[in-house]
Each structure stands twice: as structure tokens, then as C-alpha cells.
Amino acid sequence: MDDDNNCSCTQGATTSEALFSFGVIADIQYADREDGYDFCGLNRRYYKHSLCHLQSAIEDWNRTDVQFVLQFGDIIDGCNAELKMSETALGRVLEEFKKLKAPVHHIWGNHEFYNFSRDYLVDSALNTKYLQEQTFLSNSYRDQSSTGDDASEFYYAYQFCPMSKFRFVILDAYDISILGRDTSTKKYQDSLKLLREKNQNENLNSPSGLVERQFVQFNGGFSQEQLDWLDEVLTYADKNQERVVIMGHIPIHPNSTSDVALAWNYKDALSVIHSHHSVVCFLAGHLHFGGYCLDSYGVHHVTLDGIIETPPESHAFGTIHVYHDRMVLEGRGRILDRVMHYKGYQTFHR
């Protein structure tokens, strides 16, 4: 995390002054089980209490009157599959989201695919693609419609506009992945081939000895088709002088996360983003202790702290207020306040 660029001052950042506001929350990973630890046995995980944190966040957002909420994936923990409680656990979390006055956009993470197949998710309440903005649908987006012969081959990505001149883009960071896909599909076979080329460990979740440590099974990447679609969206946004916020479950900048919590082909995603002037921010989850950097192209990269590793006495959610010249993250608990100026407005309050 880059503390030099952190700003704990949200000067004048009231909802009434903002153009609009939205909520952010990541890695809830609810399960009806006692507290445990991560795979390394180091960080405590509060499976049951994550639902209480979500309830507090929803109460706060309803008071703030946010326009929408972004849920960054890993909504329930993978242990639910072992307990045969996946649908029950998901149902409990979704019941809480029903209390939210604003719509929620769901992003898919690795724990979604530990619990469900991609085909299941397409037909579930976690598919919020119906909230997409209909005015602009690129040619490559139309080509990847889920009405094709094999819906599991398509990526889950869409864009929406909460108001004129502001566009939000949700990316599918597991478009290239062996998680959640039928083993007979081409994407599964291509993903497995790539993963084994980069990772010769018996345990594909282990980064031991890897040169590119992001090539582990719990990460994924973006197909060329999805990157082409993103390029079309950003070209449209450039032409129409829009501000664009991009989000996905996995971070794409090495200075905003650890080297084992990056998208496989993060450099390809950055290359597309940096070829356009409209992108102001990339939001992600996945790394439970969070991170931040401002890259050399003026794009803010915010990785949100995870609910699952947040003690009961704290919080881990936020509200982002959007202005003409900046976005202001108003954090709760472990998530820090931050002022993020758009390109051309690089004066930070320290």
C-alpha cells in the first residue's frame, strides 16, 4: 500500500455536494461456521460475522442514499461447497442485499466458482448484467451474447452509466480460468494449458518457485475478445469525453496488491487502459488487506480490504462520492479515506 498517496482528509465531501455516490464492499465470504484462518494459517477469518458487517454496511448506505453498490466478488466462502451449503449460504446473503434501497452490481470472484459453475451463475441472482446501459453495445459485446451454443464460453462483463459523462465497466477476471468451466470447453483447455506452462507445481495454487507468481489457480485473466470489447468501450468513452471507472475481482497493478494476487495477464489489461485517456480508476478486491497506487498514467488503483478478515469490532466497506474533478472514498473501519483526483487535477491534500 502506498501511504504517501493516501489521504485521510475528505474535505467538503458531503453527499449533497457530490454528483452521485455509490457503495463498495469486497470479499464477504460468508459461511455458517466458526471462525478459522486463511490457507497459510496466519490471518483470522470471521465467517459468520461477515453477515453482520454486511448488515451494517447496508444500513449505512440506506442512510447515505447511494445510487448503487458494487459487490466485488467472493460473496460466500468456498467451504460452503464442502459443507453442501452453497445455495443456502448465498440465499442468506442475498436476503440481506434485498434490504438495500439501491441496486447492487455483483462481480464474480474465485469463491463464486468454488461454489457454482459458470452456467449456474449466468442464471442466478449474481448475474446483474440486466443493469447494463443499452445505448452503447459494441460489436464484440453483441458477438459474446450468452444465447450462443455454449454459454459457458462467454465472459461476464458489462458497462453502465449512472449519469451523463460517467461510465462504469465491470470486467470478468476469470474469463481465462479453469474455475467454474466444464472441462470439455475450449476456454478450460486453453486456460489449463497456459496455467501448466507457467506453473509446474503439483499444487497449482502454490506460487513456489514461479517467475510470474500470479499464475496460480485462484487467479485468472482476460481473453483477447474481452480486451477488444474493453478497447471499444473506452474508445467510445474517449470520443464522448466520459470519465470511466473499471472494476474486477482481481487487481491489475503490481503496486496495488501482492505479486500472488494479480490477474494473469494484467499487463495486457493495463496496456488497453493506458492507451485511452478516459479511465480514472480501477477498483478491485481479492487481496484481503487492501492496497493502493496512482500509476504513471494517472490511473488510481484501489484494492479494497476484505470483510472476511475484519474483526467484529471493526468494519470494511466504503462510500465513494463522485465530483466533477475527483472521487472521494469515505472508508469505514479498515478501509481508508482517500481523495482521487482525475487526470489534470493532481493536487493532493496531504
Side-chain angles (χ1 to χ4, degrees):
M1 186 178 296
D2 188 346
D3 291 332
D4 288 340
N5 283 330
N6 174 56
C7 178
S8 60
C9 175
T10 57
Q11 298 180 2
T14 62
T15 305
S16 61
E17 296 172 348
L19 299 172
F20 63 93
S21 302
F22 62 95
V24 291
I25 193 166
D27 298 274
I28 300 168
Q29 289 184 221
Y30 167 74
D32 186 11
R33 61 176 294 184
E34 298 304 315
D35 295 350
Y37 288 87
D38 64 4
F39 298 112
C40 297
L42 299 175
N43 299 310
R44 193 169 182 84
R45 293 188 168 179
Y46 305 89
Y47 297 102
K48 285 185 179 180
H49 201 83
S50 65
L51 205 61
C52 298
H53 283 312
L54 174 61
Q55 291 166 348
S56 296
I58 289 173
E59 290 173 3
D60 188 273
W61 291 325
N62 282 342
R63 289 193 298 268
T64 308
D65 196 26
V66 296
Q67 189 164 337
F68 59 91
V69 166
L70 301 174
Q71 186 277 116
F72 282 82
D74 288 3
I75 192 170
I76 63 172
D77 195 85
C79 68
N80 286 290
E82 302 166 14
L83 300 171
K84 301 188 185 305
M85 293 284 289
S86 297
E87 291 188 339
T88 300
L90 178 60
R92 287 176 181 170
V93 179
L94 292 177
E95 279 300 311
E96 296 303 324
F97 272 111
K98 287 180 181 178
K99 300 173 185 177
L100 183 66
K101 296 177 182 178
V104 56
H105 295 265
H106 293 295
I107 296 170
W108 298 350
N110 47 311
H111 283 261
E112 273 72 25
F113 297 119
Y114 296 155
N115 284 283
F116 307 108
S117 70
R118 184 168 285 261
D119 289 337
Y120 179 97
L121 291 172
V122 166
D123 294 325
S124 76
L126 293 182
N127 183 355
T128 48
K129 216 173 202 179
Y130 66 91
L131 295 171
Q132 67 190 330
E133 195 265 324
Q134 298 289 338
T135 303
F136 169 74
L137 292 178
S138 71
N139 292 330
S140 58
Y141 177 89
R142 297 176 194 278
D143 292 342
Q144 68 100 28
S145 166
S146 60
T147 59
D149 293 334
D150 188 354
S152 68
E153 291 283 72
F154 297 100
Y155 54 84
Y156 174 71
Y158 66 93
Q159 45 76 46
F160 63 97
C161 294
M163 71 174 293
S164 176
K165 300 300 182 180
F166 288 90
R167 189 173 299 273
F168 285 65
V169 180
I170 290 176
L171 295 183
D172 182 352
Y174 291 88
D175 181 14
I176 302 175
S177 171
I178 65 173
L179 301 179
R181 292 196 181 277
D182 190 293
T183 57
S184 65
T185 62
K186 185 177 186 300
K187 274 197 175 176
Y188 175 90
Q189 294 165 2
D190 290 346
S191 299
L192 181 60
K193 179 182 178 183
L194 173 62
L195 181 57
R196 290 199 180 278
E197 285 175 353
K198 299 289 187 177
N199 187 338
Q200 284 83 47
N201 293 321
E202 183 178 350
N203 178 3
L204 291 175
N205 276 319
S206 171
S208 178
L210 302 188
V211 175
E212 298 174 277
R213 288 167 57 82
Q214 76 270 22
F215 280 97
V216 287
Q217 183 172 306
F218 57 78
N219 293 331
F222 314 99
S223 67
Q224 188 58 53
E225 290 81 8
Q226 185 177 179
L227 294 175
D228 289 344
W229 170 78
L230 176 62
D231 186 61
E232 288 187 50
V233 174
L234 297 183
T235 298
Y236 180 91
D238 289 348
K239 180 179 179 181
N240 289 277
Q241 298 182 310
E242 296 177 338
R243 306 286 190 187
V244 179
V245 177
I246 304 178
M247 44 263 172
H249 182 69
I250 309 177
I252 62 167
H253 199 289
N255 292 341
S256 69
T257 186
S258 74
D259 57 2
V260 294
L262 274 165
W264 286 353
N265 57 338
Y266 70 90
K267 292 180 182 178
D268 295 334
L270 284 174
S271 178
V272 173
I273 290 171
H274 290 159
S275 68
H276 297 274
H277 57 77
S278 50
V279 181
V280 299
C281 187
F282 189 97
L283 302 171
H286 198 46
L287 184 72
H288 295 165
F289 53 83
Y292 170 79
C293 79
L294 174 65
D295 71 26
S296 58
Y297 289 79
V299 178
H300 300 271
H301 295 263
V302 180
T303 304
L304 299 165
D305 299 72
I307 286 288
I308 183 62
E309 292 180 11
T310 300
E313 64 273 14
S314 186
H315 290 293
F317 67 93
T319 301
I320 296 181
H321 306 288
V322 179
Y323 298 82
H324 285 294
D325 63 340
R326 69 199 187 280
M327 296 195 306
V328 177
L329 170 57
E330 182 183 359
R332 293 287 188 270
R334 296 169 64 212
I335 294 183
L336 302 177
D337 293 345
R338 195 175 302 280
V339 177
M340 298 174 285
H341 289 268
Y342 307 148
K343 299 170 188 178
Y345 298 91
Q346 299 303 328
T347 302
F348 288 89
H349 300 286
R350 295 184 182 274

